[in-house]
Amino acid sequence: PTHTAAGTALSVWNITSEQTRGLVVMDVSGSMGMTVDGQFDPATHAPLTRLQVTAAACVAGLPMFGDNSELGLWTFTTKDAADGGGTVHTELVPMGPLSAPVGNGQTRRSALNTALGQLTIQPGSRNGLYDTILDAYQTVLTGWAPNESNAIVVFTDGKDDGLNSMTADQLITKLDALKAANPNHPVRVMIVALGSGVDLTTLSKITAAANGQALHADTPADIGSAVIAGFAGRLADQ
């Protein structure tokens, strides 16, 4: 409605549509299967889970990213305790230009939409958050692209409770070391924390070590805003 707001909106559009190289990392541990108050499937009227609402917000935000943007999708959880309980992350869509073909010839944009719509919970699993953040950071750092926002956006609703995970302090130390070794290759880590079971103070310390921010999403609308905020964070560097 104002000239100032229009300028800001155009800046966000420019960054999200042309200058993003990012990895979306989705928690699929058991607690993400909890239902969200007041959210129902319009066709079946079944209550929607945290994972479904979050995935839908990502699908809704995807059209804001232009074909030159590079995106990828991971999920993370842990193995069963009987198998050691170690962190598991799965690459569903490799990072690359949205217009490029992947797999069976569909575009990466189409592959992301499909993968987001098919996400499923691993019942009873734990949250291997810290190991996953470090692995994602190293992945985005590899092949770091200049003149783009090299970023990670992690969606999670819990604390790291993986049986063999590193501590938050160990993660911060490792992120600090990677930053020191690659001073001209910043990678921004954004965490969208869902629900009341998150430790926002600790998550904020982690993201501060990686040029980012932890955002608490109380409502489905907050999740949608956080998707854009995560990738548009490069505005703060302009």
Side-chain angles (χ1 to χ4, degrees):
T2 68
H3 293 298
T4 302
T8 301
L10 289 172
S11 297
V12 171
W13 171 261
N14 179 57
I15 289 167
T16 57
S17 64
E18 300 296 341
Q19 295 181 319
T20 296
R21 178 176 178 270
L23 186 59
V24 176
V25 183
M26 193 76 69
D27 182 355
V28 292
S29 60
S31 59
M32 287 290 284
M34 294 179 63
T35 57
V36 179
D37 290 344
Q39 298 298 305
F40 300 93
D41 185 298
T44 66
H45 305 292
L48 295 175
T49 66
R50 289 174 176 174
L51 180 61
Q52 289 173 317
V53 171
T54 304
C58 290
V59 169
L62 195 57
M64 292 194 67
F65 297 91
D67 285 342
N68 291 334
S69 292
E70 298 184 39
L71 296 179
L73 176 64
W74 284 10
T75 60
F76 73 96
T77 181
T78 62
K79 296 180 181 178
D80 292 336
D83 293 329
T87 299
V88 177
H89 63 72
T90 303
E91 181 183 72
L92 298 183
V93 182
M95 192 161 50
L98 287 175
S99 59
V102 293
N104 61 4
Q106 65 180 329
T107 65
R108 181 169 279 100
R109 185 186 296 278
S110 177
L112 284 166
N113 276 312
T114 298
L116 286 165
Q118 294 177 344
L119 292 177
T120 57
I121 296 296
Q122 181 173 319
S125 60
R126 295 170 177 262
N127 183 321
L129 178 62
Y130 300 158
D131 291 344
T132 301
I133 289 174
L134 182 63
D135 289 344
Y137 189 102
Q138 291 171 321
T139 296
V140 174
L141 183 61
T142 301
W144 186 92
N147 302 317
E148 294 190 25
S149 177
N150 294 263
I152 301 157
V153 179
V154 182
F155 296 91
T156 184
D157 71 342
K159 304 173 184 177
D160 187 306
D161 59 2
L163 297 179
N164 299 314
S165 292
M166 70 184 79
T167 66
D169 287 341
Q170 288 172 329
L171 172 59
I172 290 169
T173 297
K174 291 177 182 294
L175 291 174
D176 285 339
L178 286 170
K179 282 175 58 180
N182 302 275
N184 298 318
H185 291 173
V187 175
R188 183 182 299 277
V189 176
M190 306 294 294
I191 299 177
V192 180
L194 311 169
S196 59
V198 295
D199 181 353
L200 198 63
T201 299
T202 298
L203 295 181
S204 295
K205 291 178 181 178
I206 292 169
T207 54
N211 310 301
Q213 185 179 3
L215 306 171
H216 190 206
D218 288 317
T219 69
D222 291 337
I223 296 171
S225 299
V227 173
I228 302 304
F231 285 116
R234 191 169 183 268
L235 275 173
D237 300 332
Q238 300 303 303

